[in-house]
Amino acid sequence: MARIKKVLNSSVVIVEDGRQSEMILLQKGVGYGSKPGQEVEITPAGRIFRPEHKELEMLEELLEQIEPVYLEAASLIVEYAQAVLGVKLNPHVYLALTDHLHFAVERQKQNLNVVNRVFWEIKSFYPREFRVGEYGLKVVKSVCKIVLPPEEAANIAFHIINAQSADNKNYDAGAAAKIEKQVLQIVLLNLPGPVDKDSIHYSRFMTHLQFFVQRLVSRSLLADTDPDLYSGLRRRYPQAMAIASKVRGFLESNAHYLIPDEEVCYLGIHIQRLMNQKN
């Protein structure tokens, strides 16, 4: 049994377990007529959230201002995302996504359409997260009783992408998506002809590009460990490495990132695979 510490509204209370660990309990009618100190039975339909202390305080403050359906919708989306992606998301996502869903619904009710300028990038570079976003639209329709525009799928995906960088709360998915688009344009414009975007080589290249930019934005690029690798690949794959070097030049000049030789090497290898498929 849990004991109520604070009633936020008729469906949300702060409870403590036997170890006096604070949790948020989302359960229909749980707060109606309840008072601090009372024991409460958590039903199978109840949802428990164990955010970190800072997130708990912020989520508590938010839930005093908005309806609990937004937290319910956010929790369903997070559960689905973790199952589909096979990862544990940063607990901060409950606060960020709950707040965003409320904001998105309020915008929709007021007919305020905010254009998502990285919709194409999110949809193209993060297809699994974008599918989570599409699922999120269905959840909002079911739980919040409102239809959000298709562009909101990218916004929901945006939060899921950020939440996967559990050790870096400052990870910027929008910046990453823009860099991915720029790098892709440089590579495709410098390849000797079109590529088959349905091929396994293209798929592998896109996956490598995604993780490369994640490391870039998170400031966790690979360290140089093999001084002979770079020179050897330049001799073996001169055209692919030249394209990879153009990418490095662009990122160092325009985005002010210092790109190690090792990252250029792996990018060059994937570019060479794209060139091999043409042959």
Side-chain angles (χ1 to χ4, degrees):
M1 294 284 280
R3 192 177 299 274
I4 295 177
K5 184 175 181 181
K6 185 177 182 180
V7 177
L8 300 183
N9 55 51
S10 62
S11 299
V12 184
V13 295
I14 305 295
V15 299
E16 288 182 332
D17 59 15
R19 295 170 295 179
Q20 294 190 334
S21 176
E22 291 187 4
M23 306 170 290
I24 293 177
L25 171 60
L26 176 62
Q27 186 170 291
K28 188 174 182 179
V30 68
Y32 187 76
S34 299
K35 296 180 179 180
Q38 290 182 345
E39 288 190 339
V40 60
E41 182 180 356
I42 302 174
T43 69
R47 292 183 176 275
I48 286 286
F49 302 91
R50 299 177 183 269
E52 297 176 2
H53 182 68
K54 184 178 180 180
E55 276 75 26
L56 177 65
E57 292 181 349
M58 297 174 68
L59 196 51
E60 177 183 339
E61 182 179 347
L62 180 63
L63 291 172
E64 289 177 337
Q65 303 171 22
I66 69 174
E67 298 176 26
V69 291
Y70 299 107
L71 175 58
E72 182 181 355
S75 68
L76 290 171
I77 295 169
V78 170
E79 286 177 8
Y80 179 80
Q82 292 183 147
V84 169
L85 302 174
V87 297
K88 185 71 173 177
L89 298 180
N90 190 320
H92 184 72
V93 71
Y94 288 106
L95 173 66
L97 191 53
T98 298
D99 189 33
H100 173 77
L101 293 179
H102 172 253
F103 181 56
V105 170
E106 289 302 305
R107 280 205 322 259
Q108 185 67 9
K109 289 179 178 178
Q110 298 171 28
N111 294 316
L112 296 175
N113 184 27
V114 179
V115 177
N116 186 327
R117 299 190 182 280
V118 292
F119 176 86
W120 182 89
E121 289 88 342
I122 295 293
K123 183 177 180 180
S124 300
F125 291 108
Y126 301 92
R128 295 195 302 161
E129 287 84 354
F130 187 79
R131 286 197 294 272
V132 172
E134 291 180 314
Y135 172 80
L137 297 184
K138 297 177 182 178
V139 169
V140 171
K141 180 180 179 181
S142 174
V143 176
C144 304
K145 311 303 180 185
I146 193 168
V147 177
L148 294 178
E151 291 77 14
E152 272 300 325
N155 289 331
I156 294 172
F158 199 88
H159 287 283
I160 301 302
I161 296 165
N162 281 335
Q164 291 180 67
S165 301
D167 297 328
N168 186 0
K169 294 182 180 179
N170 295 319
Y171 178 75
D172 189 339
K178 289 179 181 178
I179 293 173
E180 287 164 9
K181 182 180 180 180
Q182 293 167 332
V183 172
L184 179 62
Q185 288 176 333
I186 293 172
V187 172
L188 294 182
L189 286 173
N190 285 277
L191 286 175
V195 298
D196 180 5
K197 294 185 178 181
D198 293 323
S199 71
I200 185 64
H201 295 296
Y202 185 81
S203 177
R204 287 174 176 170
F205 171 77
M206 295 298 288
T207 299
H208 174 77
L209 176 58
Q210 175 182 331
F211 286 113
F212 164 60
V213 175
Q214 284 182 2
R215 292 193 299 274
L216 185 75
V217 175
S218 300
R219 304 287 180 174
S220 57
L221 290 169
L222 299 174
D224 289 328
T225 57
D226 186 351
D228 297 326
L229 180 62
Y230 182 76
S231 57
L233 287 176
R234 286 189 65 184
R235 291 192 299 271
R236 188 171 183 180
Y237 307 129
Q239 191 171 5
M241 289 297 289
I243 297 173
S245 295
K246 283 188 177 181
V247 171
R248 170 156 67 180
F250 170 81
L251 292 174
E252 292 186 343
S253 299
N254 295 276
H256 308 294
Y257 290 104
L258 185 63
I259 313 300
D261 285 348
E262 193 121 340
E263 291 284 7
V264 179
C265 289
Y266 287 116
L267 182 61
I269 289 171
H270 283 277
I271 293 172
Q272 182 63 37
R273 287 175 176 170
L274 287 179
M275 295 170 64
N276 286 346
Q277 81 171 26
K278 298 174 58 58
N279 298 326

